[in-house]
Amino acid sequence: MQEQNHSIKHWAKDDRPREKLLSKSPMALSDSELLAILIHHGTRNKSAVELAREVMDLGKNSLGQLGKLSVRELMKIKGIGEAKAIAIAAALELGRRRQGALPVDKPIIRDSREIAAYLQAMLRDHHHEVFAVVFLNRANKINHFEIISSGGITGTVADPRIILKKALEEDAVSIILCHNHPSGNLRPSRADELLTVKIKEAANYFDIKVLDHLIVSEEGYYSFADEGVL
């Protein structure tokens, strides 16, 4: 029995991901076809598209879940070496950054819903809790976003001195505090409340206003300001 040839170059042109993208558009390709372009070469027994389908299976056929996988986890698939895994991880990170990137005309933050959507995009792929700050100018436009500290699955600690030093460097008039809850639970802990008060009091000495503290997860968000506890 003749051995099957798994090379993409032997496929019909319409079935080759790269040619399909050139002749049509990136939107015409499935997730696995786009991944196959990143993977580039298959193995002796599997085409790049077949490997890409295995990658999607590992991510439960969800780009959101796939973005949470580490390079080492991707390398568990036979045929996905370090170089291929790094290319996939880098592409997913670029996608995440694009989604959360600020437009040239910096957006004006009007309410908690707008800033929560931005923060969910920026923090969605973090497995562990991180503490971030959004720095705003006098017109309530975002000047800068930065993750200040990273912790474990159950918590992180943010140093008010680091936050205020950065706020002064960014000429921030106000700041919005944020951290994620990987567990999905959006209720603040007593430690969250105490830290918020501590940062707010410290910021007052520099005439910097803490507008809000948001807890975000994939399920939603909790706003200290909306709840009247800021």
Side-chain angles (χ1 to χ4, degrees), residues 106-161:
K106 297 175 182 177
I108 297 174
I109 300 304
R110 298 180 180 86
D111 54 39
S112 60
R113 180 183 56 81
E114 289 182 348
I115 190 63
Y118 170 77
L119 291 166
Q120 283 173 316
M122 297 300 287
L123 302 179
R124 67 188 306 167
D125 292 336
H126 288 274
H127 292 284
H128 303 294
E129 191 168 306
V130 297
F131 196 98
V133 180
V134 177
F135 302 90
L136 300 101
N137 64 17
R138 195 173 300 278
N140 251 28
K141 290 185 177 182
I142 298 176
N143 267 355
H144 183 65
F145 164 85
E146 187 167 325
I147 293 176
I148 301 298
S149 62
S150 300
I153 294 174
T154 57
T156 185
V157 176
D159 188 336
R161 293 171 297 181

Side-chain angles (χ1 to χ4, degrees), residues 62-222:
S62 163
L63 290 177
Q65 291 298 318
L66 190 59
K68 296 178 181 180
L69 298 178
S70 68
V71 168
R72 295 299 166 195
E73 287 173 318
L74 290 169
M75 288 173 63
K76 290 178 181 178
I77 296 174
K78 190 174 181 180
I80 300 294
E82 188 176 74
K84 287 182 172 67
I86 288 172
I88 293 168
L92 290 165
E93 176 63 15
L94 279 173
R96 184 189 66 78
R97 292 186 187 187
R98 182 190 179 195
Q99 185 177 2
L102 300 176
V104 175
D105 184 16
K106 297 175 182 177
I108 297 174
I109 300 304
R110 298 180 180 86
D111 54 39
S112 60
R113 180 183 56 81
E114 289 182 348
I115 190 63
Y118 170 77
L119 291 166
Q120 283 173 316
M122 297 300 287
L123 302 179
R124 67 188 306 167
D125 292 336
H126 288 274
H127 292 284
H128 303 294
E129 191 168 306
V130 297
F131 196 98
V133 180
V134 177
F135 302 90
L136 300 101
N137 64 17
R138 195 173 300 278
N140 251 28
K141 290 185 177 182
I142 298 176
N143 267 355
H144 183 65
F145 164 85
E146 187 167 325
I147 293 176
I148 301 298
S149 62
S150 300
I153 294 174
T154 57
T156 185
V157 176
D159 188 336
R161 293 171 297 181
I162 295 175
I163 293 171
L164 293 174
K165 180 176 181 291
K166 193 68 184 178
L168 293 171
E169 290 173 355
E170 296 294 334
D171 292 324
V173 172
S174 56
I175 59 176
I176 295 174
L177 312 174
C178 173
H179 71 279
N180 63 327
H181 275 181
S183 66
N185 175 25
L186 292 172
R187 299 301 302 180
S189 66
R190 180 59 179 159
D192 293 335
E193 294 171 352
L194 292 173
L195 179 61
T196 305
V197 171
K198 187 177 181 180
I199 295 173
K200 182 180 178 181
E201 290 177 350
N204 283 336
Y205 287 105
F206 298 93
D207 293 324
I208 296 171
K209 187 175 182 181
V210 177
L211 296 180
D212 205 346
H213 183 172
L214 285 93
I215 301 171
V216 299
S217 74
E218 290 185 350
E219 284 73 33
Y221 70 94
Y222 177 96

